[in-house]
Amino acid sequence: DAKTTQPTSMDCAEGRAANLPCNHSTISGNEYVYWYRQIHSQGPQYIIHGLKNNETNEMASLIITEDRKSSTLILPHATLRDTAVYYCIVRVSLGNQFYFGTGTSLTVIP
Amino acid sequence: EPEVTQTPSHQVTQMGQEVILRCVPISNHLYFYWYRQILGQKVEFLVSFYNNEISEKSEIFDDQFSVERPDGSNFTLKIRSTKLEDSAMYFCASSDLGGARDTGELFFGEGSRLTVL
């Protein structure tokens, strides 16, 4: 089952950075942190993942605390199309399925 | 960009009928998954499949459910005798674990909406 805790909902002004927090205090050393999002009822979309280092790609940045007990997904310049439910997932190494929690519903406001 | 495709996009069936949902995973992927999402609820894992056998399944995946890879491209989910509570969006996903891009990323299809009356 899901091992993460996320706020139920957040708002962000268009053009501003959206910072989505996630707690995963029971994470183990070999567990990765993944972020997915789901726009309306579409299939979940991969955003980014990391183990212990901060990561950045064309969509977002992932900041993982040194103790790995929490992380933050950053969307640097939120647009209206970023309105979605964002899921933070921990996954044991590579080869196990993902367990989705309830996620954070992000609303980007014009 | 390669994608996971699912058919049908929407199926309406009577309670007790058999339903087969079809998925075409990304061609070089080795791991396949089914998830479901009841309206307004979270995405739930059903089953994972590797090397022509189930590698893991959840409590939801009871004897009414089965999966099959009948040929080199399709991956199917069968529900033998549908119940009202099977109404949900069913998502197929695939992964290239062990492949050159081995990120562990799951690629999801757009889903098949099942409505049981």
Side-chain angles (χ1 to χ4, degrees), chain A residues 34 36 38 46 91 97-98, chain B residues 35 37 56 103-106:
Chain A
Y34 280 76
Y36 275 76
Q38 187 177 27
Y46 168 82
R91 186 190 201 196
Q97 70 288 342
F98 294 96
Chain B
Y35 287 76
Q37 187 174 32
E56 194 155 350
T103 64
E105 173 185 349
L106 259 62

Side-chain angles (χ1 to χ4, degrees), chain A residues 4-13 16-24 33-39 45 47-48 55 59-65 69-79 81-89 102-108:
Chain A
T4 62
T5 305
Q6 299 176 251
T8 304
S9 63
M10 291 181 65
D11 293 339
C12 177
R16 305 297 293 268
N19 296 280
L20 291 91
C22 178
N23 286 321
H24 30 79
V33 179
Y34 280 76
W35 283 84
Y36 275 76
R37 73 180 182 183
Q38 187 177 27
I39 298 172
Q45 177 191 22
I47 301 173
I48 199 168
E55 302 287 343
M59 287 183 70
S61 295
L62 174 61
I63 309 298
I64 303 175
T65 57
K69 292 184 186 299
S70 66
S71 61
T72 301
L73 177 75
I74 301 172
L75 308 178
H77 306 287
T79 71
R81 287 178 296 179
D82 292 322
T83 293
V85 178
Y86 287 77
Y87 298 98
C88 168
I89 301 162
T102 52
T104 296
S105 177
L106 174 70
T107 302
V108 180

